[in-house]
Amino acid sequence: MMYHLPSYNPSEKISVEATFGESLSCLDIVWSNMFETEDVHPDRPRQHQAQFLRGAQQKWLNFYPENVPLVERDGFNDLIELIEKRKGKRCLITDISLRYQPGSGGSTLSMQVLWHFRKDLRCAKVIDSDLDTKELSKQVLDLFLLSNEQHPKTNRRTVLLLLDTREKINDLPIKSVLWEDLIEEIHERDINMKTPAVIILNCIPTDFTLKDTMILPPRLPEGDITQFKEKLLQQIRLQGKSLRRVAITDLLYHEASSGLTLASEVLRDLSEEFTCHSLTKSFKTETAENKDKVFETEIESMVNELHREYVRQKDPVLLLLNNEDNKPLRYFIKSLLSELEYTDQSDHPAFIIINAVSKSAVRAPGDVKLKMELLPDEKDKFAQKRQEIKKKYKKMSPKFHAFNIIQGGFKKEDAEKLITEKMVEHIEKDTKSSSTRLLSFLALINSYVPGSHLLKIFCEDFIKQEEWSTDEGKHSLERIIKPFKDLLVIFSLGEQKAYCIRLAHPMIADACLKMLTEHKLTRYDIAFDFLNSMVKGNESNYGQICKSMFITRPKALIEKEKFSKLILDIIRENKHNQCICLLKFASKLFSTDSFYPQALARLYYIEMKGENKYKEATNWATEAIDRDQINSHIRDTLGQVHKNHLSRIWTQRGWKNVRKPCTEIKTRLDIANDAIDAFQAEEKAAKEELETPNTTFNNRALFGFLQVCKDIIDLMPNIDFINHLREGVEQKYDFFEWYLAYSKPSFKEEEPDYFRRDVEDCYKRYFTQDTQTEETTLNKKKKKSFGGLLHFLKSDINECKQNLSGIEKPWSENETQIILCILANIILSLSGVSSEKTESLQARLQKLWTTKAQGRSPEFYLLVLLLFWPEEAQKANANPPDLEICVQYLSESYESTYGQFLRGRCLVPMFFFGKERGLQRLVHALKPLKKGLRLVHSKLNQIDLELLTEGDENVECLQRINGKVKNHKVFAVKDGQQIPVTPHNPASVCKSGQVSFYLGFTIRGPVAYNIRYNNNCK
């Protein structure tokens, strides 16, 4: 049989043998002529669709022409529009994210999109069993080229690749790893394209009940504004149905779009459903002294008042804020959560926050969201579709629970009504029956791990053990589960013969779990029984489900939750010992897995109350290390146990924080030594891990050491032990000075607020002399390092002048002193203060270059690039440094000095190339702006940073640099020089030709941002 695929020429199709599809074992290909020529018995698609409407997984057979067409949810047209735009984008690879709540129809929607494009693009879904991204990338490009061989361009066509898997590789999302492998494979095959070879449709399960960000662009038509308002109402109502204590929606709106007015209208519309407050005055943070304490006190007062009102009325409070500064907003949320910690949990959130923030520019959303809440037009579509389904399937349609729950608007009561009195009676009669226990297992895993399932064969094994040993007859699985069969679906995965069982919808799982816990079964009972009866003996088949239930920590508003959702729910029932029991049993079953004893150690030292909690925590942390001795992250837990213990004492009432210098000096010293030993062992393991390629350096040991040292000096300030720690404190402070200045977790993610604060506080405690203030001590230290000097660009300009104006010219040829002097002059110049002339600074660098060009520090080469980059600068200098060689030397110096420690982190562009002359052509990521009556440094508008990576708009203050691409490498071209630069996004380097880009400078070298091919480049 021949299959068809789209050709480069839209009017043609390409025929391929069935063996070609079979060779691409990682891909489920959607052929252009699927179901058009093959014979399919009419009962098969009808049966598959009935199963799907009940709750089974979506299959391509559901798109059979004779079946009822599926409802296209709101995001369908948005996805089509985004893919149409991406088709013409000049890049090798691009992607679109579909964020969806499990149970909302996200997987179905993504398959509808592939089906829509099957005659235009080469569409395929990733088969995620035993995923190998290297092999997957080869097969994706085989599909793009139609062979491993070089084919004419007319046989190439963009692949639309559906990635719908939750797996990670080395804690990285599959898409990130696959992206790099695709780039590497494209380069190996020397593929050049002016449109994408691959568009990845990346499906990401997302919990919108906790947090969402909505973007309101300017100049929308009235109809679009109305639709946006409906989506904002949808989001607030969705959060209103959750059990979150605090939920937030960030509304980013263009200053010309009246976003604050729209948010106020939403508050008025919801005034009967919520207690509404508008607090649109931003939190104050600009106070000269003790500014943190001032805004913290103001926020705490506001939170106390709001909390008192909530306790009094018991209704959810909807707050409208208008706060652009993340720091006070995070403190506001943290304070709310702290106040609510001892408030009884209700069946609704205490506070829902809309934070409406005006922006001078906003970008249109680049992703699509699908939620468990219907928009008005979706309700109409589903109501109409229900009539079609009822007409075709007649009496079967009431059993289509998955469809009916969505059609009904995802109401909890609709799911709860499916649990009949007869089912409840069956459970009340015998909670230990095999049928009740199987239902409880499914309710547990489908509630806490939506989309999970049990293999039918293991359920049958469970029945054999429980029933056949006692009953005369042999009961089939179907007979055992008969009391609940209406709630279950049995289906096969893909073309596999193995059948799976799950509840028809996650909301049914939630309803069943709620009902079971109301009938003498606790979450602990069910989880323990599941481990004992299903997992025991089959650990390899349940490893991922168990890790998701017992180990994986979900995101919270500020940071990750401390434990998994299941463990947290049991803790909230004040059943801490049950959590201990569950994790101990799981640890016994998964006897080589270090994460279970690690979780036990954390549970003991964070949550338990007994006198032996730290002893138990230490034992389990040590057990975790024994299971995985080379994993530095596992070792970190032991250090955290001792660090936590250091500042606490045992009283008859329990463990209490030490709030003043401690009298039990020997005890504290022993604990401190244990903590330091643990963190030093972790540091050693972290450095050994760097020998493995692509390993990111674990900085927690260095940070934990500083936190312990800070605690020690606070508790025991006058002991000799402190003197032995000074050297280690200074070394680790020096590390973080450049580490935090040169890098951050990702392009859009900053380090937590407390990170730099704790590092600096520790240094100040150890090195401030009696005659100095702590700030003077810290600033004096900062002036001695490149990373420290960069920090002054983040401070008040007056402070910057005060600290840097007095820096003297170096009299010696000391490289470090010259580098610091030159950087100080650059910073002063950017702050509007007079500085040395560019020519004088160039002369200093040129003299060092002439003396010794190779083997100097990365900072030296960076300054050479900044001051000698080809413009007017080189005309004034005879025999300037060769920048092509300088880039090479910088790369070598970076790798030997910082490379392994900054691997996997985003290197911060410290300067960009601007439009002015001299030192003023350097634009820092923080540029001076007036704010009120004070000059401060504020970040480039966030939209400017986004425009550095994509978009056709220009960044006002930056200069585009001319360059070229050759053999997938990028060069800046000027006066005959071809200076290599690193592309920020390698996927944007899609073919050879003339380009332009924004130029940034990281500690590794020059970087090309927002690469654009010239219009005359074919």
Side-chain angles (χ1 to χ4, degrees), residues 381-394:
K381 286 182 185 179
F382 273 99
Q384 182 180 349
K385 189 62 60 177
R386 183 176 187 178
Q387 296 305 316
E388 294 179 38
I389 290 172
K390 190 175 181 180
K391 182 177 179 181
K392 179 168 183 176
Y393 291 97
K394 299 181 175 57

Side-chain angles (χ1 to χ4, degrees), residues 603-632:
L603 185 60
Y604 268 111
Y605 89 78
I606 294 173
E607 290 291 338
M608 300 306 286
K609 307 297 182 186
E611 186 174 0
N612 292 324
K613 63 179 279 182
Y614 288 107
K615 180 181 178 181
E616 290 287 349
T618 299
N619 291 340
W620 284 107
T622 304
E623 170 66 18
I625 292 171
D626 290 341
R627 293 186 184 189
D628 191 352
Q629 297 189 17
I630 64 174
N631 189 326
S632 66

Side-chain angles (χ1 to χ4, degrees), residues 70-93:
L70 303 175
V71 175
E72 294 168 354
R73 285 207 60 185
D74 175 69
F76 179 80
N77 290 329
D78 294 333
L79 282 172
I80 299 300
E81 184 179 343
L82 284 171
I83 292 171
E84 289 288 353
K85 289 179 180 177
R86 296 290 200 276
K87 280 165 52 179
K89 187 175 181 180
R90 281 190 167 180
C91 60
L92 293 175
I93 309 169

Side-chain angles (χ1 to χ4, degrees), residues 411-428:
K411 295 187 181 71
K412 290 181 182 178
E413 51 267 32
D414 287 348
E416 290 170 355
K417 287 175 184 176
L418 296 175
I419 303 172
T420 64
E421 290 184 11
K422 192 173 181 181
M423 294 178 187
V424 174
E425 288 173 2
H426 180 88
I427 291 168
E428 288 176 337

